[in-house]
Amino acid sequence: MSDVPLNPGDAVRSPPRPRTRRDAQFDRIRDREAARQGTKLRGGRFLSKFLNNRLAVVGLVIFASIILLSLAAPLIAQHDPKSPNLRAMLDPPSAEHWFGTDRTGRDIFARVLYGGRVSILVGLGSALLSALIGVVIGVYSGYVGGWLDWVAMRISEIFMSFPQIILVLLLVAILGQSLLNLIVIFTLTGWGGIYRMARARMLSIREEEYVQALRSFGLGPARIAYKHMLPNALGPIMVNITLSTAAFILQEAGLSFLGLGVPMSVPTWGNILNAAQDLRLLENAWWVWLPVGATISLFVLSVNFIGDGLRDATDPSQQG
Amino acid sequence: MQPSEPILRLRDVHVHFPIKGGVFKRTKDHVRAVDGVDLDVYKGEVLGLVGESGCGKTTLGKAILQLVRATGGSVTYHGDAGETELTTLDDAGLFPFRKRLQIVFQDPHSSLNPAYTIFGSLEDPLRHYGVRSRAERRKIVGDLLEAVNMRREAMDRYPHEFSGGQRQRIGIARALSIEPELIVCDEAVSALDVSIQAQVLQLLMDLKREKQLTYVFITHDLSVTEYLCDRIAVMYLGRIVELCDAEELFANTLHPYTEALLSAIPVADLDRKSERIVLEGDVPSPVNPPSGCPFHPRCRYAQDVCRTDVPALRPYRTAAGGEHLAACHLIDQPPAD
Ligand SMILES: Nc1ncnc2c1ncn2[C@@H]1O[C@H](COP(=O)(O)OP(=O)(O)OP(=O)(O)O)[C@@H](O)[C@H]1O
Ligand SMILES: [Mg+2]
């Protein structure tokens, strides 16, 4: 190659070299980079990162299907979830009863579908509501500290030290048995945990120098706390929401079993599972507990995946 | 450069942090992070603030900006509209002065918000100071980044995509964004490696000339101050023990602590005798400072008077006719007053 002159001018005059596969590859990379620079909007970047996370998308699909199926229960289920059928008690799964029937001959498939409505509302609703309260209070009081923080802390301690069962009895005595009660109770007893976690995160972020810098500009505490600090505390909050969703779904079952939650006749995932608490059923009639259990697990898992995906999508140091 | 008029005047500033403990969270004791500092900062100067780790430099810098509130003493700002006492102002009252005073932080890794792009971090202060249109904010942030030798496009990237030196320059850009008069540089280059240090220092000096800034330059490294400070204040355990022009400090050291600090600088000059004075023992705790002169337990000249009496910061005459403040009982020249 010694006869090739090392002169940049010659290179310009020489005919263009044929394009190779490498070139095409580089072009594609450059296009992609340009495209990513185009998505300057935070929302666009956030969404594309979330959708690039395979588990999160799987979670979203499962989550959406379970909710849609529950909402469309009257269209899908061919049986009434509440009416017993004494001629078909504990039937195994068949073409007629997809998930079999329970001890009083009610169609389990229909019960799981209808049950999802209540359970998801209670579980997800209470988790989101308590997260909302806990985060709104914890983020602000953790940042500003002082007497406000002291008062919020004492209040949360009061709520957390109340035995849940007493609160439940109290509310049931006053308002009667209802679904709303459950959400109120779970929110009242549940917000303290998220509040404390959000507060603790804020206490550690508060000393970071970027927060000091914002203060040195005289920005208001609400703006610093909610806009600039909260995004950095989101990870553990997401995880907490997914965990408490699962916990609330199971707790609903416990309270309903005691006759304090939703009436036993109303199908909920918890009620269905409770009905299977019998050694004979566990051993001989797997269809009474397995489909519900699997549905609950799937749902909780999907919420988990979504939470993880959201957390990763909000973390800019993870490439999307 | 002979100082002109003061821009900032600190008188007997104390910052004591309570230590809470026991069953009822009572205040048991105090960390005397800053313990009686008198200091004038003159317009257009670079005032170095040196001292070992934990001697209260950062706390003093934050007290100047009212990021921590002084528990005693006064911080007055001297502006066109006369003097203003800052320590008694509330947030609303401080607002107009926030614009005058800014800070560049020590740790480039925690000085930028990881959740936002550079533009996202820098635009909020601008909006707060009345730049309404987004296009204009983008233009200002772009200009600022160019002023610190970075590319405009950097504003749409996240902090983790930058090196320490770049982040420090972004921190400088942020401090400049509202056109302050005085910038506290808290160990602004300490976390960077030497070649980057020189770059950032050069940048700071260029900006100072361009924008007529005043710096309070905090560092634990005396060799950096020699190169860029007009005056140097040496801090020990929350107090200033020596304060004078930079050349004077290096030529005619009065305080034994400064002497020890200076002896730790590696010298390239073979003529200069370099006897390394090793300070024995640790920095005493700012919770229970020693009686008398706070430096006496580590001072190789210490005598009885040092153990009992606190030395005052007294002025001495310099060869050039300037002022040289030092707090030591054992200086063998008479004080100037
Ligand atoms: N918020 C606080 N609460 C309690 N004590 C504090 C607080 N901030 C600082 N201190 C204490 O005050 C003293 C001075 O700290 P400061 O950060 O000002 O030192 P420094 O000179 O900047 O040290 P370095 O060179 O390591 O940055 C230290 O003993 C420190 O532990
Ligand atoms: Mg410091």
Side-chain angles (χ1 to χ4, degrees), chain A residues 225-248:
Chain A
Y226 292 121
K227 180 172 177 194
H228 292 271
M229 293 168 75
L230 177 58
N232 294 304
L234 228 45
I237 292 174
M238 294 287 185
V239 175
N240 199 312
I241 291 177
T242 62
L243 289 180
S244 49
T245 302
F248 289 151

Side-chain angles (χ1 to χ4, degrees), chain A residues 37 40 42 45 208-210 212-220 223 227-229 231-232 316-317 319, chain B residues 65 67 98 102 105-107 110-116 124-125 127-129 156 158 160 174 177-178:
Chain A
Q37 261 159 19
K40 264 175 200 147
R42 211 177 143 64
R45 187 189 152 95
E208 300 257 328
E209 289 177 346
Y210 68 85
Q212 303 286 322
L214 291 167
R215 285 183 54 211
S216 79
F217 286 108
L219 258 61
R223 199 171 181 86
K227 180 172 177 194
H228 292 271
M229 293 168 75
N232 294 304
S317 62
Q319 286 302 324
Chain B
L65 275 94
L67 289 176
R98 295 274 192 215
Q102 264 303 309
F105 286 100
Q106 186 163 7
D107 177 8
S110 94
S111 66
L112 293 169
N113 190 340
Y116 285 97
D124 238 20
R127 187 176 3 214
H128 197 54
Y129 282 91
D156 291 315
Y158 286 87
H160 71 266
R174 174 177 58 196
S177 65
I178 54 172

Side-chain angles (χ1 to χ4, degrees), chain B residues 58 106 186-187:
Chain B
T58 300
Q106 186 163 7
D186 183 3
E187 316 242 12

Side-chain angles (χ1 to χ4, degrees), chain A residues 154-227:
Chain A
R154 294 298 93 78
I155 293 178
S156 85
E157 275 165 7
I158 292 172
F159 275 106
M160 287 173 75
S161 61
F162 245 100
Q164 201 177 42
I165 195 81
I166 293 186
L167 266 182
V168 178
L169 286 173
L170 209 76
L171 269 177
V172 170
I174 301 170
L175 301 172
Q177 218 176 352
S178 81
L179 185 89
L180 190 68
N181 266 350
L182 278 185
I183 296 183
V184 170
I185 288 159
F186 288 153
T187 307
L188 283 183
T189 52
W191 72 273
I194 292 195
Y195 155 79
R196 282 165 165 250
M197 205 189 53
R199 174 180 176 273
R201 277 296 290 153
M202 294 308 272
L203 286 184
S204 71
I205 300 177
R206 187 164 75 173
E207 299 304 324
E208 300 257 328
E209 289 177 346
Y210 68 85
V211 178
Q212 303 286 322
L214 291 167
R215 285 183 54 211
S216 79
F217 286 108
L219 258 61
R223 199 171 181 86
I224 295 180
Y226 292 121
K227 180 172 177 194

Side-chain angles (χ1 to χ4, degrees), chain B residues 4-299:
Chain B
S4 48
E5 43 190 322
I7 181 170
L8 200 68
R9 183 162 270 171
L10 276 61
R11 283 294 170 267
D12 200 26
V13 173
H14 288 79
V15 182
H16 292 183
F17 295 109
I19 305 174
K20 298 206 159 115
V23 191
F24 296 107
K25 289 266 163 68
R26 267 173 324 187
T27 302
K28 284 201 309 196
D29 220 329
H30 288 94
V31 182
R32 300 155 184 271
V34 176
D35 207 16
V37 165
D38 292 318
L39 191 63
D40 290 343
V41 184
Y42 294 100
K43 220 161 254 174
E45 77 168 341
V46 181
L47 173 68
L49 197 59
V50 297
E52 278 166 297
S53 185
C55 71
K57 306 180 298 287
T58 300
T59 309
L60 184 62
K62 286 184 179 172
I64 290 176
L65 275 94
Q66 308 301 314
L67 289 176
V68 296
R69 291 311 189 106
T71 48
S74 74
V75 178
T76 40
Y77 172 80
H78 295 238
D80 305 329
E83 305 174 10
T84 320
E85 172 60 47
L86 299 182
T87 50
T88 52
L89 292 178
D90 59 5
D91 282 343
L94 273 175
F95 185 73
F97 300 97
R98 295 274 192 215
K99 197 172 157 38
R100 313 279 164 78
L101 311 173
Q102 264 303 309
I103 183 162
V104 176
F105 286 100
Q106 186 163 7
D107 177 8
H109 295 282
S110 94
S111 66
L112 293 169
N113 190 340
Y116 285 97
T117 60
I118 304 307
F119 175 69
S121 282
L122 265 60
E123 73 161 337
D124 238 20
L126 290 174
R127 187 176 3 214
H128 197 54
Y129 282 91
V131 186
R132 286 268 168 275
S133 96
R134 183 182 156 88
E136 194 170 340
R137 288 197 299 271
R138 284 190 74 82
K139 181 181 175 312
I140 294 176
V141 171
D143 290 347
L144 283 168
L145 288 174
E146 279 180 354
V148 296
N149 303 333
M150 294 192 57
R151 294 173 42 186
R152 300 187 88 83
E153 291 75 42
M155 74 171 107
D156 291 315
R157 298 173 165 260
Y158 286 87
H160 71 266
E161 298 173 52
F162 295 103
S163 70
Q166 287 171 319
R167 289 189 213 197
Q168 204 57 295
R169 280 186 279 161
I170 295 168
I172 294 170
R174 174 177 58 196
L176 289 173
S177 65
I178 54 172
E179 299 179 349
E181 295 168 21
L182 182 144
I183 300 183
V184 175
C185 302
D186 183 3
E187 316 242 12
V189 298
S190 305
L192 310 177
D193 56 45
V194 181
S195 60
I196 311 287
Q197 264 190 11
Q199 256 180 42
V200 173
L201 287 177
Q202 190 54 50
L203 171 70
L204 281 171
M205 289 303 110
D206 292 345
L207 289 170
K208 170 182 166 350
R209 212 173 319 114
E210 250 169 66
K211 299 176 192 281
Q212 278 102 47
L213 296 168
T214 306
Y215 289 142
V216 172
F217 196 89
I218 298 176
T219 177
H220 57 249
D221 183 1
L222 260 174
S223 57
V224 173
T225 57
E226 184 173 17
Y227 160 67
L228 81 163
C229 293
D230 299 311
R231 287 193 309 148
I232 297 176
V234 181
M235 260 184 105
Y236 188 76
L237 221 59
R239 299 194 190 150
I240 289 181
V241 295
E242 187 159 10
L243 169 64
C244 63
D245 283 357
E247 300 107 62
E248 167 72 13
L249 187 83
F250 286 91
N252 180 23
T253 311
L254 290 181
H255 200 282
Y257 177 60
T258 316
E259 189 183 34
L261 284 185
L262 284 176
S263 79
I265 302 178
V267 263
D269 186 355
L270 289 178
D271 297 334
R272 213 155 110 185
K273 68 170 190 327
S274 62
E275 179 207 359
R276 179 93 153 82
I277 304 167
V278 180
L279 285 177
E280 280 166 21
D282 286 331
V283 186
S285 148
V287 181
N288 295 307
S291 65
C293 173
F295 185 57
H296 86 254
R298 301 166 77 194
C299 181

Side-chain angles (χ1 to χ4, degrees), chain A residues 101-130:
Chain A
T101 60
D102 66 5
R103 250 189 307 201
T104 48
R106 293 174 297 195
D107 180 59
I108 293 183
F109 182 64
R111 286 181 70 75
V112 170
L113 286 187
Y114 279 94
R117 295 175 151 194
V118 178
S119 292
I120 293 172
L121 188 65
V122 168
L124 206 59
S126 325
L128 289 178
L129 214 58
S130 46

